[in-house]
Structures are given as C-alpha cells and as structure tokens.
Amino acid sequence: MDIDFVVSWVDMDDPSWQASFAEWSSRKGGSRNGLSKARFRDNGLLRYWFRGIERMCPWVRRIHFVTCGQKPSWLDVSNPRLNLVSHADYIPERFLPTFNSSVLELYLHRIPGLAGHFVYFNDDVFATAPVPQDRFFSEEGLPRDIAAFRFNGGTGLWNRCLRNNMEILNRRFDKKQVQREFPGKWFTPEYDGRDTLTKLLRPCGKFPTFKVPHSAQPYLKETYVQVWDYAEAELLKASEHRFRSGEDYTQELMRGWQLCSGAFEPCNTYRDARMFPLLLKAGEAAEAVREQRYRLVCLNDNARIKNYDAVMEELSRSFESILPGKSSFEL
C-alpha cells in the first residue's frame, strides 16, 4: 500500500509570522500554553527529522510538509517525494490564520494528494532506528495501535480537550458492544500489561480517556471523513479558535474513532517508542538517540529549560553520530 508521512512545522523567527501572531494574540488572547515559546520555536533539529525518515523509513511514498507558507532555507523543495503544504491549501480560509495545532490536525485528510494511509508526526518525533512499514500498518492496511485507558482527572487544557474527544466517542459508540465485538483487540497479551485499567473498567458503560503514546500516529484518511460526517458542527465551531482552547478537539478524536470502530490492529506502541521531557531527561534523551535504543523518540520541549542551547547542542551531536551527511531533502 502507499503510505505517506505528514509533519507540521513553524518558523517563529519569521518577521511576517511574528507580526501576524502579535496581531491575533492581542486581538483574541489565548491560553498561556497556547502562546508558549516552546510550542513554536525551531530547535534546529528538523534536518535530522528528514535524514531519519529517509534512512530509517525508505519505504515511505511521500512527505507532506505542513507550514503557514514557510520553508527552511536548506530544504530542497524540488525533491519529488516532498509536498510543501501551506495551511491555506487544506484549511478553509475563514479559519486562517490559525496558531492552533489542533485545528491544523483536524483537516489533515484535505491535504492535496494525501494517500489513504498516512502517518502524522509532530516535528519533535524522530525516527532513530529502522522502522518497518508494518510498524504502522498491518498487511490488511489497518493502523497498528494500543487500545488502553488512563484516568483523566486533570484540569489542564490538554486533559480538557481529551475529555471533549471522549464525549463525542461515547455518544457515537457503545463501549460494552465494542468490546464484545472486538475482544481480541481490547484484551490481548500484545499490550504487555498496559491494558490493566482496561480490564478493570470492563463492566463500565462509558469509555474513559485513552492512553496517548506521544509518537508518530497512523491514520486512515477514511476515518477523518467518518468523524467529520458525524461531528461536523462541533469541529467547525472548534476551528474558530485561533489559539489552543479548552473547547478544542484534537487528532486523538480520530485515533479514538479508529479504536472504537475496530479499525486497528493491536500493537504495544510503547515497546519501541519513548517520549523524553527535555526539562527533566535531556541527557537521557541524547544518550537514547546516540545508542538508537528506540525506533521513535519524542523530544518534548519546555519553555523552562534553562540551559536550552547546551541541551540542543548535545542532541545535535547525538543525531549527527547516527545520521551524518545530508539527506536528499537538503540543498
């Protein structure tokens, strides 16, 4: 099957972007999380994202690079496997400009030329060891994923958005019926014990919040169409939020739809992927990259990193040790 990758990026040092950001943030405001520098800054590692994909995932058909009309100076846009996508290419004009990553992710299925099977990456998720095609999709073309629950009692913006997703999923799907129909996908040794809460909550009639692996996520374009057909009014309303809001819906809605509809193949996606909060585990992250401990790593930025430049330099050295030399996406 053809499988595409989608990755989003922004250059917050672009004067035009800064002017637009300043105008809309003063006009509309926004949450502290939504306006965080860590959410928009370029950490200088993007070229290693492309190197990792080219060398660790050579089977990918095409990369759709989503920006607000920007591009890194070193990117070779003539590469036939690269599709440079502007927000205006796939998001309705009335919702632009947007600085809300949730809105960017709700419309991915509208990217021109996107394959029916695709994997979405945030630009902080890197391939650091060989990743076979069947890590993301089964031979039958189903996304490989883990159906596991977690408690969500948090009051932060992200947790509120996840609860919004679950309201729609619980309205559309009956938990007990779903688990009766697909028992082998919900209760399986494949999850290595990460489904303990799923088993404990089996008698409950509602889906709680799903675990979020914070990694590259496989999707069927068809899933996006189904979600939009069912919840168009809610998604259009959320699209009006220029900045992240507690009333948003996220890509986890589409992921949850795949899980609830049985359109997935069980896989413990934590087994070969790891998220490193750089505020606390920068050194461990650099070592994991250098030693290629995982196929996929997420390097989670934080505005409170005090030695930011030193952290990025150490990570750059680690990436350079496993991904030396330019990729075909670099000039």
Side-chain angles (χ1 to χ4, degrees):
M1 73 198 81
D2 287 334
I3 300 174
D4 287 354
F5 286 178
V6 179
V7 61
S8 55
W9 177 80
V10 65
D11 177 9
M12 68 174 291
D13 295 323
D14 175 17
S16 297
W17 184 89
Q18 290 179 344
S20 180
F21 182 91
E23 176 189 349
W24 284 95
S25 60
S26 63
R27 185 190 309 183
K28 295 292 183 179
S31 71
R32 189 186 336 177
N33 188 35
L35 301 181
S36 169
K37 177 172 63 174
R39 188 159 297 282
F40 298 106
R41 65 183 170 190
D42 176 24
N43 56 24
L45 301 177
L46 185 64
R47 66 182 69 240
Y48 296 113
W49 186 92
F50 281 94
R51 292 182 191 182
I53 296 305
E54 183 168 79
R55 297 173 194 179
M56 308 302 179
C57 310
W59 44 264
V60 66
R61 186 193 73 143
R62 205 174 190 195
I63 295 172
H64 302 270
F65 185 55
V66 178
T67 77
C68 57
Q70 303 169 324
K71 71 177 181 68
S73 60
W74 49 264
L75 187 65
D76 184 0
V77 297
S78 68
N79 190 310
R81 297 176 67 201
L82 178 67
N83 181 28
L84 201 60
V85 183
S86 173
H87 297 170
D89 292 334
Y90 75 105
I91 299 175
E93 183 179 0
R94 66 185 183 277
F95 302 129
L96 297 176
T98 185
F99 308 93
N100 187 341
S101 59
S102 294
V103 173
L104 302 182
E105 294 164 356
L106 291 179
Y107 290 90
L108 296 179
H109 63 300
R110 291 165 51 104
I111 291 176
L114 181 67
H117 297 77
F118 69 95
V119 183
Y120 179 67
F121 286 75
N122 290 121
D123 66 355
D124 62 353
V125 177
F126 299 82
T128 57
V131 186
Q133 178 174 308
D134 63 5
R135 166 58 172 79
F136 294 119
F137 291 95
S138 70
E139 290 184 1
E140 295 74 27
L142 293 177
R144 304 198 71 197
D145 208 343
I146 182 170
F149 298 142
R150 73 172 179 87
F151 288 117
N152 182 5
T155 58
L157 183 149
W158 175 244
N159 285 313
R160 289 158 60 193
C161 293
L162 294 181
R163 286 196 289 271
N164 297 340
N165 297 337
M166 299 313 301
E167 287 180 8
I168 289 181
L169 293 174
N170 276 305
R171 192 173 73 215
R172 170 59 181 83
F173 297 97
D174 181 278
K175 174 177 174 289
K176 291 185 177 181
Q177 179 180 336
V178 166
Q179 293 185 331
R180 282 196 302 267
E181 186 174 356
F182 307 105
K185 296 190 177 189
W186 288 86
F187 309 103
T188 169
E190 169 66 22
Y191 296 152
D192 299 327
R194 288 184 177 270
D195 57 347
T196 300
L197 186 59
T198 309
K199 295 174 181 176
L200 290 174
L201 296 180
R202 190 167 190 168
C204 297
K206 296 288 186 180
F207 291 102
T209 300
F210 289 106
K211 285 182 178 289
V212 181
H214 292 285
S215 186
Q217 179 61 43
Y219 286 109
L220 299 174
K221 191 159 66 170
E222 176 186 357
T223 299
Y224 269 71
V225 175
Q226 292 172 357
V227 174
W228 271 92
D229 284 345
Y230 182 78
E232 181 178 23
E234 293 93 333
L235 300 184
L236 287 175
K237 180 64 177 176
S239 299
E240 298 175 359
H241 305 151
R242 307 277 177 173
F243 298 91
R244 283 161 56 94
S245 162
E247 285 70 54
D248 285 343
Y249 299 93
T250 74
Q251 59 160 315
E252 289 299 314
L253 171 59
M254 283 65 177
R255 174 176 175 254
W257 190 283
Q258 290 179 164
L259 298 177
C260 293
S261 65
F264 74 103
E265 183 72 20
C267 174
N268 180 4
T269 55
Y270 290 89
R271 190 179 295 146
D272 61 359
R274 176 80 182 274
M275 191 272 279
F276 292 94
L278 295 182
L279 179 64
L280 302 172
K281 298 185 176 182
E284 185 180 343
E287 188 175 283
V289 170
R290 188 167 55 251
E291 297 181 356
Q292 297 180 274
R293 292 180 190 169
Y294 305 95
R295 287 173 170 166
L296 300 161
V297 296
C298 174
L299 304 178
N300 185 248
D301 199 356
N302 190 296
R304 292 179 292 170
I305 298 175
K306 295 181 179 179
N307 55 339
Y308 178 78
D309 290 340
V311 167
M312 292 304 135
E313 287 178 10
E314 183 179 9
L315 286 169
S316 293
R317 288 194 296 270
S318 292
F319 275 111
E320 190 65 31
S321 70
I322 65 169
L323 296 168
K326 294 181 179 180
S327 71
S328 66
F329 297 97
E330 297 174 64
L331 293 170

